[in-house]
Amino acid sequence: MKNFDAIADRLDSKGPKLRLQGLVSSSQSFLIAALFTKTRKNIMVIAADCAEAENFSNDLRFFLGESYPQSSVFYLPPWETLPYEALSPHSEISAQRHMALLGMAECECTKGFICVTTASALMQKCPSKQKLAESFLRIEAGREMRLDEISDFLTETGYVFTDPVEEKGTFAVRGGLLDIFPPNAGAPLRLEFFGDEVESIRSFDTESQRSSKREKEILIPPMRETHYRKIDMDRLLGELDKLEAQKSVSLPNVRRRFENREFFT
């Protein structure tokens, strides 16, 4: 116990770096969880790869138990795409990164957090807190919100219109009903409108289409880390003009995608 208190005290000081050795397997996550509970400081854990990071996150949530909110542990995954590779990051990974970044931003000034990630994930740029907050849509039952505004948000942030809704990242509009399957939900959600008011929010079964649990509010993250939400299209196209002039090239396909707010696969 004395050694543990000494380690915790060193975290509060501005002395030399502290190196601990001899910890194996779950003893590492046990120590991190204990230090977090005692100091309530933000902690970042850099794992060797994604599998190790996910296992470490699960161990932390287990050791924290009820002594501290398990929502204080966030796994920040890498894109899993190589630089200059002609592929976009998987949409669910982008959404997971958004949820982790937003959670850490909300916890930073209140209860603290533990971020478990990898070196490759740390090398990727992240949006500012303001841009991050603007990328989410909060919907409350009983509040006024136009259906077409929600539909525009979904399209601009990478959701795909598909009827019926069965997979994450898809949505459908039928009259005064909006079905959506956000990546942070365990089941798709059905929003029922009365005029411009969100009358109800319920989860539903994809096979029977029957509604079940009622929700008071939902937080919808973007499906893409780079998206068209609140983008200045004139400025974006102006930058494309500069690039074409500097490189003496023509990029009509890129321009078309920008103008139609289409995403790159």
Side-chain angles (χ1 to χ4, degrees):
M1 181 61 70
K2 290 182 179 180
N3 291 336
F4 173 77
D5 290 337
I7 294 172
D9 291 340
R10 285 285 297 276
L11 292 179
D12 287 323
S13 66
K14 295 183 179 180
K17 294 181 180 180
L18 180 64
R19 181 185 296 273
L20 300 178
Q21 295 178 328
L23 297 175
V24 295
S25 188
S26 296
S27 61
Q28 301 174 30
S29 50
F30 176 80
L31 176 62
I32 295 296
L35 290 171
F36 178 67
T37 303
K38 181 176 178 62
T39 65
R40 300 196 175 186
K41 285 182 173 292
N42 297 336
I43 296 176
M44 176 171 288
V45 178
I46 304 176
D49 52 42
C50 295
E52 182 179 311
E54 291 190 72
N55 291 334
F56 205 103
S57 301
N58 293 332
D59 287 346
L60 284 173
R61 296 187 182 98
F62 172 78
F63 288 126
L64 286 172
E66 298 180 357
S67 63
Y68 216 79
Q70 295 192 21
S71 58
S72 300
V73 179
F74 300 96
Y75 168 50
L76 183 66
W79 282 349
E80 296 186 350
T81 55
L82 298 175
Y84 305 107
E85 190 175 14
L87 292 172
S88 294
H90 194 282
S91 55
E92 287 194 29
I93 292 178
S94 295
Q96 186 178 2
R97 284 174 56 84
H98 265 95
M99 292 301 298
L101 291 170
L102 181 67
M104 287 186 281
E106 292 178 341
C107 289
E108 186 175 11
C109 299
T110 54
K111 57 189 178 182
F113 62 83
I114 304 176
C115 174
V116 184
T117 186
T118 64
S120 58
L122 288 178
M123 296 173 65
Q124 295 162 203
K125 290 185 177 181
C126 297
S128 65
K129 288 184 181 180
Q130 179 182 351
K131 292 293 184 182
L132 186 66
E134 293 174 350
S135 297
F136 285 77
L137 184 64
R138 190 180 298 274
I139 304 175
E140 298 179 38
R143 297 287 296 273
E144 287 193 1
M145 183 172 287
R146 291 170 50 187
L147 193 154
D148 60 339
E149 291 180 354
I150 301 176
S151 180
D152 288 344
F153 168 86
L154 297 174
T155 302
E156 292 172 351
T157 57
Y159 287 79
V160 179
F161 187 94
T162 304
D163 193 9
V165 170
E166 297 178 337
E167 298 181 359
K168 292 186 176 183
T170 59
F171 77 101
V173 179
R174 298 188 305 279
L177 295 178
L178 170 66
D179 291 350
I180 176 176
F181 201 159
N184 58 328
L189 302 167
R190 176 162 293 154
L191 283 63
E192 187 173 357
F193 288 79
F194 183 76
D196 288 338
E197 179 183 323
V198 182
E199 190 171 39
S200 67
I201 305 173
R202 299 173 182 268
S203 58
F204 69 91
D205 182 79
T206 56
E207 294 185 1
S208 66
Q209 293 293 304
R210 291 183 178 179
S211 301
S212 53
K213 182 182 177 182
R214 184 186 292 267
E215 304 286 349
K216 292 182 179 179
E217 68 173 19
I218 55 174
L219 185 66
I220 302 179
M223 284 300 295
R224 300 269 185 164
E225 198 156 344
T226 54
H227 50 73
Y228 292 102
R229 179 69 171 168
K230 294 189 176 182
I231 196 74
D232 187 338
M233 186 55 66
D234 290 336
R235 180 181 176 183
L236 180 62
L237 293 175
E239 293 297 324
L240 181 60
D241 290 337
K242 293 179 183 179
L243 177 64
E244 289 180 325
Q246 291 173 356
K247 302 296 183 180
S248 299
V249 295
S250 178
L251 301 171
N253 291 332
V254 175
R255 184 178 300 276
R256 176 184 57 79
R257 286 181 180 272
F258 284 165
E259 292 175 341
N260 295 331
R261 286 175 165 75
E262 297 176 356
F263 292 94
F264 296 85
T265 56

